[in-house]
Amino acid sequence: MQETGMRNGAFGADKFGLRNLKQVHWNLGAPQLYQYSLAAGEAVLSADGALCADTGEFTGRSPKDKFTVRDASTEKMWWAGNQSITPEQFEALYQDFLKHAEGMTLFAQDLFGGADPSFQIKTRVFTELAWHSLFIRTLLIRPDAARLADFVPELTIIDIPSFRADPKRHGVRSQNVVAIDFARKIVLIGGSYYAGEMKKSVFTTLNYYLPAKGVMPMHCSANVGPKGDAAIFFGLSGTGKTTLSADPNRTLIGDDEHGWGNEGVFNFEGGCYAKCIKLSKEAEPQIHAASNRFGAVLENVVLDEDTRVPDFDDGSKTENTRSAYPLDFIPNASRSGRAGHPRNVVMLAADAFGVLPPIAKLTPAQAMYHFLSGYTAKVAGTERGLGNEPQPEFSTCFGSPFLPLDPSVYGNMLRELIAKHDVDCWLVNTGWTGGKYGTGSRMPIKVTRALLTAALDGSLRNVDFRTDKYFGFAVPTALPGVPSEILDPVNTWKDKAEFDKTARALVGMFQKNFAKFEAQVDADVRAAAPDLKLAAE
C-alpha cells in the first residue's frame, strides 16, 4: 500500500481494520485534493476557482436511512426519534465496508470537532472521493501540522458512496445508510454522495456525549459584537442562520453547530455550509465572495456551459444548493471559534403562512416552548411531493434528526442557561409577509437585519410592545427605519378575515405538535402555548 501526506505512522488505516488498500492519501490540502478530484472527473471548476460537484440522487440528508446501534451503552438514547440496529447487524455492515474498500484509494483527514480543547473530539474521516475529503477538511477544525504526528482518533468515519447496503443483511431501510455505533465511536456512510452526512454525524456524536459534561450542543449559528455580546441563532435549514450571523458589524463564531458550557459558547466546526439558492452579491456579499473563490466547494450549483459562472438562481437540480468554505473566508470571522455567554438567543422561523410577526420578544417559558416546537414551514420546491400549500415543519430543538437524547435534556439545559445568564430571547420570522406563500412576499432582509440589530444592541428593549392575540408574545409597535405596518402582520394582508383564519389554523398546528411534550414540561411552559381564547377577546 502506498501512502502520502503527514500522518501518525504508528496509528494508520490498519488500526481501523482497513486492509489491502491501493493507496491512502493523508491530510492533503486543497491544491492536492483539487488535483485528484478533477483528474478523476468527480468535479469541475467554476469561473472563479470553486470546486463544483453534483451529488446525484441524494441532494440532502436522508434521515430515514440513519441508524444507531442499540446496546447497553445506548439505554439513554431517545429511541422515539431514532432508528436502531443490533450490534450484530452493525458488525456485518462494518465488515462489508472493509471488504468493499479493498483495492481502493482512500483519502484520510485527521480533524477536530469542537473549538474548545476541553470538549473537542478527535475525528478521523476516510473518504472514497477527493472532493468529500476537501469538504470535511473545510467543515471541521484542522489541527496544526505538529499535531498530526501523534494523532489518535476517538471517532472514525468511513464514507464510501459506492457501497450499497443490504436491508435484509444489515437491518436497514435501503441501499443508502448512515450507521453509528456510539460504543465503538464508528460511523459508516454508504450509498449517498451528499457530503453533508459526514458533518452531521460528528454533530450527532457531540450531541450524545456533551450534555453529560455540562455542555449544551446546539444547532445554531453564533456571532459576537464589539463589546463581547454574543448571540446565538437557532433555526432549521433555509431560515437564515448562515445569512444573519454573517454580519459585517459583528464577529462570526460559526454558522451551524455550537456548544454552550461554563466558559461560554464555542464552534464545533472550522467552516461554513451555506444554502446558496438565490445567493446574491447585493444581499449576502460575504457569503457570495466566499463561494466564488479557490477553496470553496459548491454542491449541485448550475454553471453556465460557456463561462462556468455559477447561476445561484437556478434550482433545477435542487433548492438545496450548497456552498462550503473555510471560516477564514469570512473577513471578520473569529480565529478562536469561542466567545463568552450569549446575551441574546434568537429563534428563526421561515413562516410561509405569513402569520408570525418579523420579531417578537419571548419570556423564558415561551422560549422553552418555541425551542421544543422548532417551527418553520416548507414550500413547493424544497422537497419532493410538496404541493402549492405551505406545510408546517416542527423539528424539536431545531434539530430533531441530530438528537440522540430525549429533547427534554436539551430543553432543560437551555432553560437553565437562559435563567443563569439573564438572556433575552427573540422569535424572528424570516418567511412571508402580506399573505402566505404564493400570495405574499418574502420578508425583506433589510427589515430583518434592522430589527435584529436593535435587539442585539439593546435598543429594542426600550420601545413599546403589544401582546400578540394569537401567540401571546410581545411584539414591538414601532422602530425607526422599519415600516410600522410590517410589525403587525394583519396590516400587511388585504383580506383580514383570511389572515384570522390562517392564524387560527397555525395556532392549531402548534398545539397539536406540542401535545407530545405537555406531560414533560412545567405548567408555565404549557401556559406559554398560543391560545385561541386570546384571539376571541
Side-chain angles (χ1 to χ4, degrees), residues 231-315:
I232 55 179
F233 303 80
F234 289 105
L236 302 176
S237 175
T239 57
K241 290 195 310 300
T242 300
T243 298
L244 295 172
S245 57
D247 184 332
N249 297 313
R250 296 173 65 84
T251 298
L252 176 66
I253 304 169
D255 82 323
D256 195 45
E257 302 169 7
H258 293 80
W260 186 355
N262 290 332
E263 302 299 319
V265 296
F266 61 95
N267 195 359
F268 288 169
E269 302 186 303
C272 297
Y273 194 36
K275 194 168 184 179
C276 57
I277 191 72
K278 310 295 184 187
L279 177 64
S280 72
K281 186 176 182 179
E282 294 71 30
E284 301 170 81
Q286 292 185 329
I287 298 172
H288 188 272
S291 303
N292 285 279
R293 58 180 286 187
F294 179 87
V297 179
L298 303 182
E299 288 183 328
N300 302 309
V301 172
V302 175
L303 301 181
D304 183 277
E305 290 185 7
D306 297 322
T307 65
R308 293 200 178 179
V309 172
D311 183 354
F312 293 116
D313 292 328
D314 190 332

Side-chain angles (χ1 to χ4, degrees), residues 348-364:
L348 303 171
D351 176 28
F353 294 95
V355 167
L356 295 181
I359 197 166
K361 194 172 191 305
L362 305 177
T363 66

Side-chain angles (χ1 to χ4, degrees), residues 24-156:
V24 181
H25 298 298
W26 293 90
N27 297 305
L28 300 186
Q32 300 99 314
L33 292 170
Y34 262 63
Q35 182 178 340
Y36 281 110
S37 179
L38 294 172
E42 297 173 2
V44 297
L45 283 179
S46 76
D48 291 306
L51 193 67
C52 304
D54 285 354
T55 63
E57 177 186 358
F58 294 95
T59 57
R61 291 179 299 100
S62 184
K64 293 181 180 180
D65 292 317
K66 182 179 177 182
F67 294 83
T68 303
V69 173
R70 190 166 193 161
D71 58 17
S73 71
T74 54
E75 290 179 357
K76 296 182 180 180
M77 278 284 294
W78 179 42
W79 289 115
N82 288 275
Q83 302 165 110
S84 67
I85 56 175
T86 67
E88 293 75 20
Q89 288 167 332
F90 184 90
E91 179 62 23
L93 185 66
Y94 173 52
Q95 293 300 330
D96 289 348
F97 260 80
L98 297 179
K99 183 67 176 177
H100 185 82
E102 291 188 26
M104 280 188 170
T105 293
L106 296 181
F107 299 86
Q109 294 286 343
D110 290 331
L111 303 161
F112 295 139
D116 187 331
S118 300
F119 303 110
Q120 65 189 191
I121 187 166
K122 294 180 179 178
T123 304
R124 175 167 288 175
V125 186
F126 293 100
T127 64
E128 177 181 5
L129 303 176
W131 83 264
H132 274 201
S133 190
L134 178 59
F135 173 91
I136 200 63
R137 178 180 175 84
T138 300
L139 265 296
L140 293 186
I141 297 171
R142 299 162 290 283
D144 294 335
R147 304 284 300 273
L148 298 176
D150 59 359
F151 190 97
V152 175
E154 299 167 272
L155 172 69
T156 303

Side-chain angles (χ1 to χ4, degrees), residues 5 16 34 40 88 92 150 203 233 268 296 424 426 452 501 534:
F16 184 69
Y34 262 63
E88 293 75 20
D150 59 359
F203 184 40
F233 303 80
F268 288 169
D424 285 338
W426 309 88
L452 269 178
K501 178 182 176 182
L534 292 173

Side-chain angles (χ1 to χ4, degrees), residues 429-449:
N429 174 21
T430 59
W432 273 255
T433 183
K436 59 186 177 183
Y437 171 79
T439 301
S441 57
R442 196 74 191 252
M443 191 72 68
I445 193 169
K446 289 183 179 179
V447 168
T448 303
R449 285 201 181 279

Side-chain angles (χ1 to χ4, degrees), residues 113-120 203 205-218 257-268 338 341 405 409-414 416-417:
D116 187 331
S118 300
F119 303 110
Q120 65 189 191
F203 184 40
T205 301
L206 290 169
N207 284 346
Y208 184 73
Y209 291 110
L210 288 183
K213 298 180 179 181
V215 175
M216 181 186 172
M218 305 175 293
E257 302 169 7
H258 293 80
W260 186 355
N262 290 332
E263 302 299 319
V265 296
F266 61 95
N267 195 359
F268 288 169
R338 302 170 71 177
H341 296 288
L405 306 177
V409 172
Y410 309 100
N412 288 330
M413 291 187 80
L414 180 64
E416 291 169 7
L417 287 164

